[in-house]
Amino acid sequence: MNLINLLLSGQRSPNTNEHENSGRNLMNLPLETLEMIREYLSPNDTASLVLCNHALLRALGNRHWSSLRPGKDNEEYRELFLTTLTRDLPGHFFCHHCSRLHLRDNLGPPGPAFQPENRLLCVTKELGWELWRCVQAHPYFSWYHFAFPHLQLAMKRHHHGPGHGISTKSLSFTEVQVSGDEDEAERVTTLLSVEARICPEPISLCLRIQHWALISSTKRDMLLSKTKFVRICDHMTPRSSEISRLIESKLEPPRTEFECRVRPDVLKCRFCNTDFQVEIKDCGDEGLALVVTKWLDLGSGLTPMDTRWRVHLARDKAAEIGALGEAGDVRLRFESERGLSQDSLSCQNASYLIAKRFMSEMDHLINRTWILQAGKRLPFFYYADRTFLLALVLANLSLILAAWAMFFKS
């Protein structure tokens, strides 16, 4: 694109007269010269060049756009061309799945609320594009669906300004689920919280995910049996012995004062580079809680083929990108940025679970699920029992109409 920028820079300088300036203008070149220039350009650069004005379009034709249609051999150039266009289209992004430009507003946030009517099917139907394994904090599925376009748009705003992409705040989410066990002693309350920050060195989007599994019993041996669904990453699943041994080690009381001081330690998965920390918290009369905090580096968001993204989707399992770093380096990058500290986050999440305060401070979504999307409460009309509210309004519609009639008569 340097050649294009040079030829198009026909701006007049104080020491350049009009005759000299017109000789540098691209539009004053013969058609043969333009064709010679085009031969040195890639298909995506040529397609960008003819978009500059109508004269270039008439001179070079629109056949270069036709060569970038879907299904052609120039798929790589099509992606480069459309990605270049999005720099001047704040409300659009390039979809790597269907190789098209989509409206940002048709994507929707990762949380369940404020979803658009024309939600993109290319994103919702591809489960392999989501980080569902990383947010598996409950015995049942979560309502949080983080897909690659969320990463892509968050990084776009960072590079191009607030008019582009989406904010990292829109990616935050807190969710509480209560198991359906009839016996209070057998009941498990789980919490998921997700935060996103842009971190430097290298610039990428990092997530801090915290899982809580609170059991009503104070028996430590029950904690292990009731939290079999806990997942650190795709390489340490509930079926792996690493998690069981790790939790068992945390259940043992520290033998020395030094061992008490060094706990809890930060570990790293050598395959996906996930930093994680496992703690056992005594919540008094509420019971015992298993707390897992994880820090994920999702990459730059330029392509879904980035290994830093793919390793969290059960792809490139043998990459071992975590073997190159030290345990805690992703955590350090995240915690060094402005925002809620890890200790403050743990206190905040604990406060939701104590005395079931989540029922009053979060939004009841459905059944035994409460959420807090983007760090704030949902509007009144978004409550899960809005069907009841609609029925209530319809039942009192006659009273409302009568009140309106009296108002207009007066």
Side-chain angles (χ1 to χ4, degrees):
M1 294 296 289
N2 292 334
L3 178 59
I4 296 176
N5 295 332
L6 178 62
L7 293 171
L8 291 177
S9 60
Q11 299 179 355
R12 185 178 303 175
S13 64
N15 300 324
T16 304
N17 57 40
E18 184 175 354
H19 176 72
E20 293 174 342
N21 185 69
S22 62
R24 293 171 52 196
N25 196 303
L26 180 63
M27 300 313 305
N28 293 327
L29 297 177
L31 179 60
E32 294 78 6
T33 306
L34 290 177
E35 287 291 344
M36 292 176 62
I37 293 173
R38 183 195 60 78
E39 293 178 358
Y40 287 92
L41 300 178
S42 61
N44 58 293
D45 285 341
T46 305
S48 299
L49 178 61
V50 298
L51 275 179
C52 293
N53 53 51
H54 291 286
L56 285 172
L57 177 60
R58 288 192 298 269
L60 299 177
N62 61 0
R63 63 184 184 278
H64 312 288
W65 293 340
S66 301
S67 65
L68 299 178
R69 288 177 179 175
K72 301 291 184 179
D73 296 333
N74 295 329
E75 195 65 32
E76 178 183 356
Y77 294 120
R78 172 182 170 84
E79 176 180 340
L80 291 173
F81 172 65
L82 293 179
T83 302
T84 303
L85 288 183
T86 59
R87 300 173 185 173
D88 297 318
L89 299 173
H92 291 74
F93 71 96
F94 174 74
C95 178
H96 292 269
H97 178 71
C98 61
S99 191
R100 298 178 183 273
L101 292 184
H102 289 317
L103 282 172
R104 169 187 57 190
D105 295 338
N106 288 342
L107 174 62
F114 303 112
Q115 294 298 327
E117 294 183 2
N118 299 323
R119 192 177 181 187
L120 298 175
L121 296 178
C122 57
V123 176
T124 57
K125 71 180 181 180
E126 289 295 325
L127 187 61
W129 264 29
E130 295 183 1
L131 294 178
W132 66 271
R133 294 174 177 84
C134 301
V135 298
Q136 187 174 341
H138 315 294
Y140 312 102
F141 69 92
S142 171
W143 288 90
Y144 187 77
H145 302 283
F146 187 104
F148 179 79
H150 296 118
L151 164 63
Q152 183 181 358
L153 286 171
M155 295 303 297
K156 183 182 180 184
R157 169 166 293 195
H158 173 75
H159 290 297
H160 299 287
H164 296 254
I166 59 177
S167 66
T168 55
K169 183 67 175 179
S170 66
L171 304 177
S172 63
F173 187 73
T174 306
E175 178 183 54
V176 174
Q177 291 188 13
V178 181
S179 66
D181 295 331
E182 297 296 334
D183 189 0
E184 182 71 23
E186 298 292 326
R187 187 165 298 172
V188 180
T189 303
T190 52
L191 179 145
L192 163 71
S193 68
V194 184
E195 299 168 276
R197 294 177 190 173
I198 306 293
C199 300
E201 299 179 5
I203 297 179
S204 60
L205 183 74
C206 295
L207 297 184
R208 179 173 64 187
I209 303 174
Q210 191 169 87
H211 301 171
W212 282 68
L214 175 65
I215 64 171
S216 302
S217 174
T218 57
K219 298 179 180 179
R220 290 179 171 260
D221 56 341
M222 286 190 60
L223 187 64
L224 184 61
S225 61
K226 300 293 291 185
T227 56
K228 291 294 185 182
F229 54 87
V230 173
R231 177 191 293 266
I232 302 295
C233 63
D234 195 62
H235 309 93
M236 285 186 260
T237 66
R239 295 181 296 274
S240 61
S241 58
E242 289 87 349
I243 293 183
S244 299
R245 291 198 299 265
L246 183 60
I247 296 176
E248 288 174 354
S249 66
K250 297 298 179 180
L251 289 173
E252 298 176 359
R255 294 182 291 268
T256 64
E257 183 180 353
F258 173 77
E259 186 178 352
C260 183
R261 287 199 307 268
V262 299
R263 287 187 176 187
D265 47 2
V266 179
L267 306 175
K268 178 186 288 290
C269 174
R270 65 192 306 264
F271 295 99
C272 63
N273 198 34
T274 298
D275 284 342
F276 63 94
Q277 188 180 75
V278 179
E279 303 175 78
I280 304 296
K281 291 186 178 292
D282 189 345
C283 299
D285 296 337
E286 301 291 333
L288 286 176
L290 172 65
V291 183
V292 178
T293 310
K294 304 184 290 187
W295 295 266
L296 283 65
D297 183 355
L298 302 183
S300 60
L302 296 177
T303 169
M305 301 306 295
D306 188 344
T307 303
R308 289 178 293 175
W309 167 258
R310 287 172 58 85
V311 291
H312 301 295
L313 306 178
R315 317 281 176 85
D316 297 340
K317 284 190 173 184
E320 295 193 23
I321 62 174
L324 303 177
E326 297 181 358
D329 55 358
V330 181
R331 174 185 180 272
L332 180 61
R333 290 171 57 207
F334 186 96
E335 301 296 338
S336 298
E337 297 301 309
R338 177 184 297 181
L340 200 66
S341 66
Q342 181 185 355
D343 291 339
S344 299
L345 172 68
S346 299
C347 293
Q348 175 180 282
N349 289 337
S351 68
Y352 290 139
L353 299 178
I354 299 300
K356 296 181 174 57
R357 290 179 61 241
F358 60 86
M359 292 185 175
S360 59
E361 298 193 8
M362 301 174 68
D363 296 296
H364 184 206
L365 181 66
I366 190 173
N367 296 334
R368 298 175 177 269
T369 302
W370 288 258
I371 66 169
L372 194 63
Q373 184 166 313
K376 56 185 179 182
R377 299 292 298 270
L378 300 178
F380 179 71
F381 60 84
Y382 249 105
Y383 280 92
D385 54 353
R386 54 186 177 272
T387 303
F388 167 75
L389 297 177
L390 178 61
L392 185 64
V393 171
L394 293 176
N396 294 275
L397 184 60
S398 58
L399 296 177
I400 296 174
L401 294 176
W404 280 358
M406 293 179 61
F407 173 78
F408 285 113
K409 285 182 179 180
S410 61

